[in-house]
């Protein structure tokens, strides 16, 4: 297993990349572990921008946005076929954070999504967190996977909270 220092560094790399995209009103739309590369110097690079696009600015543009992504990482609004935007990427990032916390990948049994809400089970995320996982990181993952997109943090907030968590982990180690 990677040490928590490195896991938080990975999380920060992902968050900064997504914050960069969101600052330019761009959605990745397929954020998942398979679209993350680890470099030789242990940095994360977000890749596969085949589904990326500028977020809709009005209702007409919203009607033209296609639904895409990978089931285990898709936000409830995408799975339910309703309007979606930048917070959908935040949901996907929250699923990845839950994977980092637990050292388990999302599948048909782990972090299973069920109707009618298609949200993650907060108790499962907490119970599966591996030893030494900062409680603040678990809470950040849960905040990112809130069912209502309006309740999810914006990427600036995610980066800020991760900075504090990373500092806590470095002091602890």
């Amino acid at each position: 297993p990677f040490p928590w220092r490195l896991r938080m560094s990975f999380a920060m790399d992902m968050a900064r990349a997504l914050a960069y995209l969101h600052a330019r009103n761009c959605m990745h739309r397929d954020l998942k572990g398979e679209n993350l590369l680890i470099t030789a110097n242990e940095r994360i690079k977000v890749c596969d921008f085949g589904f990326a696009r500028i977020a809709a600015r009005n209702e007409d543009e919203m009607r033209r946005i296609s639904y895409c992504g990978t089931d285990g990482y898709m936000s409830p609004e995408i799975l339910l076929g309703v309007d979606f935007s930048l917070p959908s990427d935040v949901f996907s990032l929250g699923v990845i954070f839950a994977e980092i916390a637990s050292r388990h990948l999302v599948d048909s049994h782990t972090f299973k999504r069920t109707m009618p809400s298609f949200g993650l089970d907060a108790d499962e995320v907490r119970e599966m967190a591996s030893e030494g996982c900062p409680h603040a990181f678990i809470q950040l993952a849960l905040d990112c996977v809130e069912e209502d997109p309006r309740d999810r943090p914006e990427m600036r907030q995610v980066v800020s909270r991760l900075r504090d968590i990373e500092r806590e982990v470095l002091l602890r180690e």
Side-chain angles (χ1 to χ4, degrees):
F2 292 123
W4 282 106
R5 165 197 59 76
L6 190 54
R7 291 193 227 183
M8 291 303 99
S9 176
F10 289 165
M12 184 61 88
D13 288 346
M14 287 179 258
R16 284 185 176 137
L18 201 53
Y20 178 87
L21 287 175
H22 285 195
R24 285 145 186 82
N25 206 32
C26 185
M27 297 182 291
H28 186 279
R29 300 197 312 159
D30 196 23
L31 194 62
K32 58 184 176 180
E34 290 89 349
N35 291 338
L36 303 170
L37 302 176
I38 301 177
T39 67
N41 61 344
E42 298 181 325
R43 304 307 312 209
I44 292 287
K45 301 293 182 186
V46 177
C47 62
D48 194 354
F49 290 87
F51 289 143
R53 66 162 285 137
I54 300 299
R57 293 169 293 215
N58 56 48
E59 281 189 43
D60 187 48
E61 287 182 6
M62 182 60 74
R63 282 191 291 276
R64 288 183 289 201
I65 293 180
S66 60
Y67 297 91
C68 58
T70 303
D71 290 352
Y73 300 89
M74 282 183 178
S75 65
E77 56 271 21
I78 291 176
L79 291 172
L80 293 168
V82 298
D83 291 351
F84 66 95
S85 188
L86 300 176
S88 291
D89 279 347
V90 175
F91 187 94
S92 301
L93 183 66
V95 174
I96 294 170
F97 286 175
E99 291 178 326
I100 290 171
S102 68
R103 295 184 55 228
H104 286 87
L105 298 176
V106 65
D107 62 24
S108 60
H109 303 291
T110 306
F111 307 128
K112 185 178 177 181
R113 317 283 292 292
T114 57
M115 290 177 55
S117 67
F118 293 109
L120 260 61
D121 180 348
D123 291 334
E124 179 185 18
V125 173
R126 286 187 193 97
E127 289 168 13
M128 291 192 66
S130 58
E131 185 179 332
C133 183
H135 294 291
F137 186 62
I138 297 168
Q139 189 57 54
L140 178 58
L142 292 173
D143 290 347
C144 289
V145 297
E146 281 287 340
E147 289 175 28
D148 187 333
R150 296 170 295 193
D151 294 335
R152 296 178 202 143
E154 292 183 2
M155 286 311 302
R156 282 188 318 264
Q157 297 165 308
V158 172
V159 170
S160 176
R161 289 171 65 182
L162 271 174
R163 203 174 287 126
D164 293 339
I165 296 166
E166 193 174 33
R167 190 173 15 255
E168 171 195 326
V169 166
L170 291 173
L171 288 172
R172 184 175 70 192
E173 290 186 358

